[in-house]
Amino acid sequence: MRGTGVGSFPGESQRDYDEALSVVLGELAPAEHGLAFLPEVPGRGAGAAITGRTLGLVTELDADLQPEGWRLTGTSGASPVDQRRARSLLAQDLDALEERAAGHTGPFKVQVAGPWTLAATVERPRGDKLLADHGARRELAQALAVAVADHLADVRRRLPDAAELVLQLDEPALPAVLAAGVPTASGFGKHRMVHPPEASEALAWVLAAADAAGATPWVHCCAPDVPIGLLRGAGARGVMLDLDLLDADGHDAAAEALEAGDTVVLGVVPTTGRLPGDKVLVERVLRWLDMLGLDPEQVGAGLAVSPSCGLAGSTAAEARRALELARTVARAVSG
């Protein structure tokens, strides 16, 4: 059993990123009870946040930054300056990883935004979200699949041969996409729901690309009504969930995933308020397993623990402590 993090860290500078990377490698690189990951420091600007960071990888589509957020330009050729900056910043982060993780062994996780969260966030050239255009959202998902394969190849090149890669697809908007809950540009209406078969198909393209690149594909969704069955059906071999947001169906679906041999990353470490002691969190995980009728030894490495969501709103000290707690709880529950 391992502890890990969702991805984001506090800070506003490259120095803050370097510190976040040091914390992650220091707290989670020991592979027995930790899963290290590439941190994100969105406070450095839009190009460092998850949407801009991911668009920086998507070389088949051009995007620029507008006052309302990221927008596809509808042109081809040289990438817009904002997209190039995002790409350059990520390359700089990967250079730092390569330098500091030369001796890393065991698993290592990277995060990108999923196709439906991008479609619900990024605008079309003519306005409104990509979600409004069936062809545009299909093109985006296919371009993202290519970008994920290229990104994983780049990360693998920078890590020791023994490193096992995990691809975390961030899909916080997916439940709203499925429930027609994403507002239109005017704010007076909602985009039409995306039906599960189409949602699954787009996810499958990206998750299959990760699998073909030799990475284990996971999906993270810190929102209510996570469609765990749909995610697993699309090819996710792991799901990352906020325990506080799971309903009865969610608990049952998580148990099914564990029993089937997939990974469940349980978000139990709070990201707001005072952090509890490790014993409180250990008891919470054990009570959850007992409620599901699962033995800790039975689930073994299939269960991991993490903060409930990203840590960008924490202080640097709180972020470090949150990862320390995740690792400590994982070790304690493992016995």
Side-chain angles (χ1 to χ4, degrees):
M1 185 173 176
R2 293 186 170 107
T4 190
V6 171
S8 66
F9 260 71
E12 298 178 347
S13 68
Q14 190 63 33
R15 182 176 178 179
D16 292 325
Y17 171 83
D18 292 340
E19 176 61 24
L21 182 59
S22 295
V23 169
V24 169
L25 294 176
E27 296 293 341
L28 301 176
E32 184 180 3
H33 294 297
L35 169 54
F37 58 92
L38 187 70
E40 303 153 5
V41 180
R44 293 180 293 172
I50 187 64
T51 298
R53 203 167 171 87
T54 302
L55 288 175
L57 295 170
V58 181
T59 58
E60 294 192 355
L61 299 175
D62 290 343
D64 64 6
L65 191 59
Q66 298 293 311
E68 298 79 15
W70 288 94
R71 180 194 67 180
L72 296 188
T73 65
T75 61
S76 59
S79 298
V81 63
D82 298 310
Q83 193 176 22
R84 294 200 306 272
R85 285 172 178 163
R87 194 170 298 150
S88 175
L89 187 58
L90 178 56
Q92 186 174 331
D93 292 350
L94 289 172
D95 287 343
L97 170 68
E98 185 175 8
E99 179 181 342
R100 299 187 182 203
H104 180 76
T105 59
F108 189 86
K109 178 169 66 69
V110 294
Q111 306 83 220
V112 301
W116 294 111
T117 293
L118 287 178
T121 306
V122 179
E123 290 192 346
R124 299 180 293 174
R126 297 181 302 278
D128 216 333
K129 305 301 183 188
L130 288 173
L131 196 59
D133 187 323
H134 179 274
R137 62 201 193 205
R138 184 181 184 89
E139 183 181 12
L140 174 66
Q142 292 173 340
L144 179 61
V146 173
V148 161
D150 291 343
H151 181 45
L152 289 169
D154 187 20
V155 174
R156 186 175 298 284
R157 178 178 62 80
R158 295 168 181 270
L159 290 175
D161 292 341
E164 310 158 26
L165 290 184
V166 175
L167 185 279
Q168 173 188 320
L169 207 61
D170 281 312
E171 281 287 15
L174 179 59
V177 167
L178 293 170
V182 178
T184 58
S186 69
F188 294 113
K190 304 285 187 181
H191 286 283
R192 293 180 180 179
M193 68 174 290
V194 171
H195 295 284
E198 182 188 350
S200 179
E201 182 181 41
L203 288 165
W205 290 330
V206 183
L207 296 173
D211 184 62
T216 303
W218 291 0
V219 177
H220 165 246
C221 184
C222 52
D225 303 318
V226 180
I228 297 174
L230 184 150
L231 298 177
R232 294 179 59 222
R237 298 281 67 87
V239 289
M240 301 179 68
L241 312 164
D242 182 347
L243 180 56
D244 285 333
L245 300 180
L246 285 184
D247 58 13
D249 290 340
H251 292 301
D252 291 342
E256 290 176 9
L258 286 170
E259 291 171 336
D262 289 338
T263 299
V264 171
V265 183
L266 207 58
V268 295
V269 181
T271 57
T272 58
R274 185 176 180 180
L275 289 171
D278 58 295
K279 291 183 180 180
V280 172
L281 298 178
V282 170
E283 283 298 316
R284 190 174 185 208
V285 174
L286 292 175
R287 284 199 305 271
W288 183 74
L289 289 171
D290 183 63
M291 177 186 74
L292 299 179
L294 297 174
D295 188 280
E297 294 184 2
Q298 175 187 353
V299 298
L303 183 65
V305 295
S306 75
S308 57
C309 205
L311 297 168
S314 305
T315 66
E318 289 168 343
R320 181 189 292 271
R321 176 58 179 157
L323 293 191
E324 180 187 354
L325 276 171
R327 189 198 68 232
T328 300
V329 171
R331 183 174 58 225
V333 174
S334 298

